Amino acid sequence: MSNQIDLKGRVAVVTGGAQGIGRAIAERLLASGAAVAIWDLDLASRACGELSRAGAAKPVGCDVRNLSAVEDAREITLKVFGQIDVLVNNAGIAGPNMATWDYPIAAWEEVLDINLTGTFLCCRAIVPAMIARGYGRIVNIASIAGKEGNPNACAYSASKAGVIALTKSLAKELAAHDIAVNCITPAAARTAIFAQMTQQHIDFMLSKIPKGRFVEVDEIAALVAFCSSAECSFTTGAVFDISGGRATY
């Protein structure tokens, strides 16, 4: 790490934290002193075992599409750690690449359920505990696609635009509390999610990035670490761009 964010004594939940961007975020928060509950359906136990060297990591099986599963994961996390200070809503999928008029209804519903409804359900479940403690940091992982819309990715683009709007709405509702709600809009990172995309779509995304490369997961994690910290105290409802110059707003 090139800088040190102090998260000692904090407990973070990272959804989709077993691999990819979520794994990098969990590693960075652990290295900053936080305890981390990794909410995921896949590989969470193995990931937590590998991450235990960096700090306290707890695997929690959770399907973010299901309210009961989310509430159960919250209760497990509170039982183990006693508090939740940070929520990073990272779980997401890309969905297929095809024209809007050909897009399968089932695929649309799955992408929206995980990317947008999952973010809503996790916020809904955890915010009351943050209000009761008088402190919280929520970081939602959106996407540059939510700002600009990517062709042949209507569900993904719409879901991430919804995450941006949800962030702004919730931030205003919580502005009277010491609970900051912000989102990150990264360019694409080369992770397992690329397996869901066509090579043509991957090439299109790269062509739109002025820096000429994909974002590294550790770069995203560094920005999330700041947004998860007490130092991020007056910024809420913001959209932090990390798109390599694709978006300048």
Side-chain angles (χ1 to χ4, degrees):
M1 291 188 297
S2 59
N3 56 20
Q4 181 67 48
I5 301 294
D6 184 8
L7 296 177
K8 296 181 182 67
R10 302 298 187 189
V11 175
V13 167
V14 180
T15 71
Q19 58 184 318
I21 293 171
R23 169 70 177 264
I25 292 169
E27 288 177 344
R28 183 61 186 257
L29 299 185
L30 284 164
S32 298
V36 179
I38 297 176
W39 293 11
D40 208 310
L41 284 176
D42 301 314
L43 305 176
S45 295
R46 188 176 79 184
C48 283
E50 294 169 351
L51 289 171
S52 62
R53 295 187 301 275
K58 168 68 177 178
V60 181
C62 182
D63 182 349
V64 298
R65 297 170 292 185
N66 184 288
L67 177 59
S68 294
V70 169
E71 290 177 336
D72 287 346
R74 176 198 62 200
E75 293 308 306
I76 291 170
T77 303
L78 289 173
K79 183 177 181 179
V80 171
F81 295 114
Q83 65 198 61
I84 298 173
D85 304 292
V86 177
L87 168 62
V88 182
N89 283 303
N90 167 77
I93 61 171
N97 297 133
M98 57 183 63
T100 301
W101 53 92
D102 292 326
Y103 208 89
I105 298 299
W108 170 274
E109 291 174 344
E110 183 180 32
V111 172
L112 270 290
D113 280 351
I114 295 173
N115 296 5
L116 180 56
T117 302
T119 298
F120 160 71
L121 291 178
C122 290
C123 289
R124 185 182 186 276
I126 290 177
V127 163
M130 289 181 171
I131 292 174
R133 277 181 56 79
Y135 179 87
R137 297 291 182 266
I138 297 172
V139 188
N140 297 324
I141 307 303
S143 168
I144 185 62
K147 284 185 172 183
E148 298 197 346
N150 282 341
N152 301 309
C154 61
Y156 184 78
S157 298
S159 70
K160 294 303 188 177
V163 169
I164 293 170
L166 173 61
T167 298
K168 293 177 178 292
S169 178
L170 181 58
K172 291 179 173 66
E173 294 170 355
L174 293 172
H177 304 272
D178 187 9
I179 302 174
V181 187
N182 295 293
C183 69
I184 310 293
T185 53
R190 191 178 291 280
T191 67
I193 202 170
F194 272 29
Q196 303 173 35
M197 305 175 188
T198 64
Q199 188 59 49
Q200 181 181 12
H201 190 71
I202 293 169
D203 293 342
F204 163 79
M205 292 189 299
L206 182 59
S207 74
K208 301 290 285 184
I209 303 173
K211 288 187 75 70
R213 66 172 176 86
F214 293 115
V215 65
E216 299 290 338
V217 293
D218 289 341
E219 293 172 315
I220 298 171
L223 184 52
V224 171
F226 165 71
C227 293
S228 300
S229 73
E231 290 180 289
C232 186
S233 55
F234 197 65
T235 300
T236 192
V239 181
F240 285 85
D241 186 77
I242 183 166
S243 66
R246 177 174 172 179
T248 56
Y249 62 94

